[in-house]
Amino acid sequence: MTNTFPFAFLESIATRFQPPAWVVGETQQRLVLFLNHVLMQEKEAQDRLARKKGSVLHIRWGVFALDLLITPAGLLDKATSAAKPDLLIALAVDSPLTLLQSVMAGKPPPVKIEGDVQLAAELGWLAENLRWDFEEDLSRLVGDVPAHALADAARRAMAGLKQFLATAPGSPFAASGDVVVKAAA
């Protein structure tokens, strides 16, 4: 008998959870700030995005959506709801647990991309080459040695979690990493 109770229970809660609008708005603003923090650490990333200034990205995952405007500085800002998106990126996975498994496996989640092919190519470059240096940011708060020790512990914990998820009996994790791309007409 396969028991997937914890996974099924968590998945049912996550798919039915609808946070208040103010929580969604604040979370989106924090996400934009974080993305800009990561972008500011890599000048090449900002330069690539600056070439597409004024473009609007619409990112959707289930009921959650975020519209981002590329600024002339090569950073991101929340776009107005009336802005027409140049590129649509929709995660083709409804399950948060399947998405987590895909990320833990180091595979991109399955996505559907429609719109500006050049903008999609720039975002693809960012996804492949841009990384958050967690250890560097942490070292500013606690110093180099504790930051290295904490980052090492986090890497080992993630490796253990990854191994656990891969070997869990009846695991619902089977992400394919499929990508569907449609060019704008």
Side-chain angles (χ1 to χ4, degrees), residues 39-155:
L39 285 167
M40 286 189 294
Q41 293 176 348
E42 181 64 51
K43 180 71 173 133
E44 176 68 18
Q46 285 181 266
D47 293 342
R48 284 176 168 268
L49 280 181
R51 287 183 249 169
K52 299 305 283 182
K53 67 182 173 197
S55 296
V56 176
L57 312 170
H58 178 78
I59 303 168
R60 174 167 296 285
W61 179 42
V63 297
F64 300 106
L66 176 61
D67 291 316
L68 297 171
L69 173 69
I70 300 175
T71 69
L75 299 173
L76 301 171
D77 196 5
K78 282 181 63 175
T80 63
S81 58
K84 182 181 179 287
D86 297 296
L87 185 67
L88 166 71
I89 301 173
L91 289 171
V93 174
D94 290 332
S95 167
L97 295 175
T98 304
L99 180 63
L100 175 65
Q101 187 273 338
S102 179
V103 170
M104 295 296 292
K107 295 188 279 184
V111 295
K112 177 182 174 186
I113 302 172
E114 294 180 19
D116 184 343
V117 175
Q118 290 177 334
L119 180 56
E122 294 296 350
L123 293 178
W125 184 91
L126 291 176
E128 297 232 350
N129 296 290
L130 192 61
R131 297 289 177 261
W132 175 36
D133 191 352
F134 170 75
E135 191 172 332
E136 177 65 28
D137 284 346
L138 188 59
S139 73
R140 293 181 190 141
L141 296 174
V142 297
D144 289 340
V145 174
H148 180 70
L150 288 169
D152 187 51
R155 281 188 285 271

Side-chain angles (χ1 to χ4, degrees), residues 4-5 163 171-172 182:
T4 61
F5 171 73
Q163 183 180 10
S171 176
K182 288 185 183 177

